[in-house]
Amino acid sequence: VSLLRRRPREGGTSGRRILFPFIGSTISHATLDATLRLARAQDAVLVPAYLATIPQHLSLDSPAPLSESEAAVPLLELIEQRATQESVRVDSRIERGRTHRHALTALLENEGYDTLVVPAKTSTTDGFDPTDIAWLLETAPGEVLVLRPEPATAPLRPAAAT
Amino acid sequence: VLVDLTPEALIARLRAGKVYPAERVPAALNNFFRVENLAALREVALRQTAEEVESKRVVPAAEVLGTRDDLLADEAPQALAERVLALITPRPRSQRLVRRAWRSAQRLGAELDLLYVQPPGAPPRDDERVQLEALRRLASVLGASFLVEEGDDLVTTVAQVAGERGTTYVLIGQPQPRTGLRRFGESLPDRLLRMVPGVDVRIVADRSRRLDSAATRAEPAP
């Protein structure tokens, strides 16, 4: 009987996608947990996307500076670990641009999504500042959810992933 | 060939009419020929030259091997260069495989190639095309080469590409469980080790399998 049991479809069963752009070298525990709860509740695929910036003196097509890749890769790994623990499927991305907003524009153009979850910056965690969030609320299509964690909570750092 | 000049020296040459005719000089000074632009351009040129010199640098074999054997000495530089090849599929799980491969390549100081072997006459479906495009962008961001080869047989194609590119490591995702008669055949890692001799093969675990097995455990058997 177990041979007839179908494996769950890769990429989530509802077909919904939650886009989770982030910047910097830390992510707030509370923000990630809330995003994972939402993804689980909706049976959606989480699409964490690190936004890398390319300095002006390099071509926009050039590889991201090593510091950016070294920040992105372990953070994505950390998010995938947490997502696996929460039984949430993940389809990660790294998007680049001259600025975070430029990279965000490219991300919105390239990725289909149902809900956009945006971490807001606090005194202890990296995230988007109010001007970027205001811009997103005006321009991003679809549902936009802004999460602001408790300022006192400690952020997740890649070292915790290992 | 790089001819290096300080921004100030270049501006002096411009003012002296050695770059443009005199009537174009004021406009040039107000537009591109500003110290900050020239300094940035100089930095890019120097950096690129340094990278090219570094990539062509041949490590003297005697330094490495401490031998006078001419044959070994000739082959030593190639033997020292590591190159990683990651076999990708148009699935979300390949994103992790690429990141793992990139980290390995960083540790080894190696170049990274990503290879998708496409079955002949079977163009990717829409969802696969989206995944391939995302992988292509990831390759570009991480500075990896993205290769697509048509081939009936995955391992034969990998062997050919690995030979052409001097691959020393192959990373693969967790193979699908073999069913039916395939269970009695040779596994993918075994075939790779046999057909690409001398190349290390590493398997990157598929985390989504944990979800599947957890779901299967949680689901009561009918």
Side-chain angles (χ1 to χ4, degrees), chain B residues 138-209:
Chain B
L138 180 63
S140 174
V141 168
L142 296 178
S145 302
F146 188 90
L147 313 169
V148 177
E149 294 285 338
E150 277 205 351
D152 279 321
D153 182 65
L154 174 69
V155 178
T156 306
T157 311
V158 172
Q160 183 190 332
V161 171
E164 288 167 2
R165 298 186 76 84
T167 300
T168 56
Y169 273 82
V170 174
L171 271 82
I172 60 173
Q174 197 171 331
Q176 295 287 333
R178 292 184 296 160
T179 55
L181 289 175
R182 287 188 176 181
R183 276 182 294 180
F184 304 106
E186 199 175 15
S187 69
L188 174 63
D190 284 343
R191 281 195 72 207
L192 280 170
L193 287 168
R194 181 168 56 82
M195 292 190 61
V196 198
V199 171
D200 295 336
V201 177
R202 184 176 157 197
I203 302 171
V204 176
D206 175 10
R207 288 226 175 97
S208 66
R209 293 279 181 86

Side-chain angles (χ1 to χ4, degrees), chain A residues 33-69:
Chain A
D33 287 348
T35 309
L36 288 171
R37 281 200 303 275
L38 184 68
R40 190 167 184 184
Q42 296 187 352
D43 194 17
V45 175
L46 178 65
V47 186
Y50 181 87
L51 304 182
T53 52
I54 306 290
Q56 291 288 345
H57 67 271
L58 295 176
S59 157
L60 192 54
D61 295 334
S62 57
L66 194 58
S67 58
E68 291 278 17
S69 302

Side-chain angles (χ1 to χ4, degrees), chain A residues 2 7 30 45 47 56-57 76 81 86 95 103 110 113:
Chain A
S2 62
R7 294 181 63 201
V45 175
V47 186
Q56 291 288 345
H57 67 271
L76 288 169
Q81 270 188 20
E86 297 295 323
E95 195 64 72
N110 288 328
Y113 63 90

Side-chain angles (χ1 to χ4, degrees), chain B residues 10-20 25:
Chain B
L10 184 53
I11 288 173
R13 287 178 62 82
L14 180 71
R15 287 187 197 280
K18 293 178 180 175
V19 179
Y20 288 143
V25 170

Side-chain angles (χ1 to χ4, degrees), chain A residues 1 5-8 10-11 17 52 57-58 61-64 66 69-70 72-74 76-77 80-81 83-96 110-111 162, chain B residues 40 43-44 47 91-93 95-96 99-100 102-103 106 130-131 134 137-144 176-177 206-212 214-217 219-222:
Chain A
V1 172
R5 190 180 297 146
R6 293 180 63 189
R7 294 181 63 201
E10 188 171 322
R17 289 169 71 84
H57 67 271
L58 295 176
D61 295 334
S62 57
L66 194 58
S69 302
E70 284 180 340
V73 167
L76 288 169
E77 197 67 22
E80 286 195 12
Q81 270 188 20
T84 304
Q85 288 165 2
E86 297 295 323
S87 302
V88 171
R89 292 187 186 275
V90 180
D91 188 8
S92 304
R93 298 286 185 267
I94 301 177
E95 195 64 72
R96 66 188 154 187
N110 288 328
E111 295 300 326
T162 55
Chain B
E43 187 184 327
V44 171
R47 193 190 301 267
R91 306 264 187 287
R93 68 175 74 121
Q95 291 274 335
R96 177 162 188 262
R99 295 199 308 271
R100 284 292 194 189
W102 179 80
R103 290 182 93 164
Q106 287 293 304
V130 168
Q131 289 297 331
R137 289 204 304 277
L138 180 63
S140 174
V141 168
L142 296 178
Q176 295 287 333
D206 175 10
R207 288 226 175 97
S208 66
R209 293 279 181 86
R210 277 198 223 166
L211 298 188
D212 294 348
T216 308
R217 278 199 304 274
E219 188 182 329

